[in-house]
Amino acid sequence: MLAQWVRLCGAQEAPKPGEVMEAETQGVAVCLANVDGRLAALDNWCPHRKGPLGGGWLEDEAVVCPWHSWAFSTTTGIAEPPDRAKVSVFPVKIEGEDVLVDLA
Ligand code: FES
């Protein structure tokens, strides 16, 4: 599939290491996390009960859902056992002043 890079937010607005935030682009809600300086973009909606992952926090390299604490890998999107679920992970990059995500 062809890449579809779109602007998510400004590089200045992006979370600092250890932080997570919610952002939206093209009608898609994204959880943007900064894992030790590496940006990761995941589907914002937790597959459990649609909790906002961008309102959660980081534990090691996983984003923890603020509602019932399911934890999702920021690299694979797979939930940590015993929870069985997966969220989409979008490629992300900084270009100039902008954070871009590939929604394709
Ligand atoms: S809604 Fe995310 S863990 Fe329940």
Side-chain angles (χ1 to χ4, degrees), residues 4-94:
Q4 188 194 340
W5 291 100
V6 294
R7 183 184 187 276
L8 181 63
C9 65
Q12 296 295 331
E13 304 166 72
K16 306 288 177 258
E19 294 179 357
V20 183
M21 67 177 250
E22 290 179 81
E24 191 178 320
T25 183
Q26 313 266 314
V28 178
V30 172
C31 162
L32 186 64
N34 186 325
V35 185
D36 295 331
R38 172 182 66 87
L39 288 178
L42 290 76
D43 181 0
N44 189 53
W45 304 122
C46 177
H48 179 220
R49 296 274 172 80
K50 298 283 176 229
L53 294 182
W57 60 91
L58 278 169
E59 273 180 21
D60 296 324
E61 69 92 40
V63 171
V64 181
C65 178
W67 285 8
H68 315 96
S69 300
W70 286 21
F72 297 87
S73 164
T74 53
T75 50
T76 65
I78 296 172
E80 288 176 1
D83 304 313
R84 306 179 112 217
K86 185 177 187 303
V87 293
S88 297
V89 177
F90 306 110
V92 58
K93 66 182 176 182
I94 293 178

Side-chain angles (χ1 to χ4, degrees), residues 1-5 90-91 102-104:
M1 200 185 295
L2 279 180
Q4 188 194 340
W5 291 100
F90 306 110
D102 178 7
L103 297 179

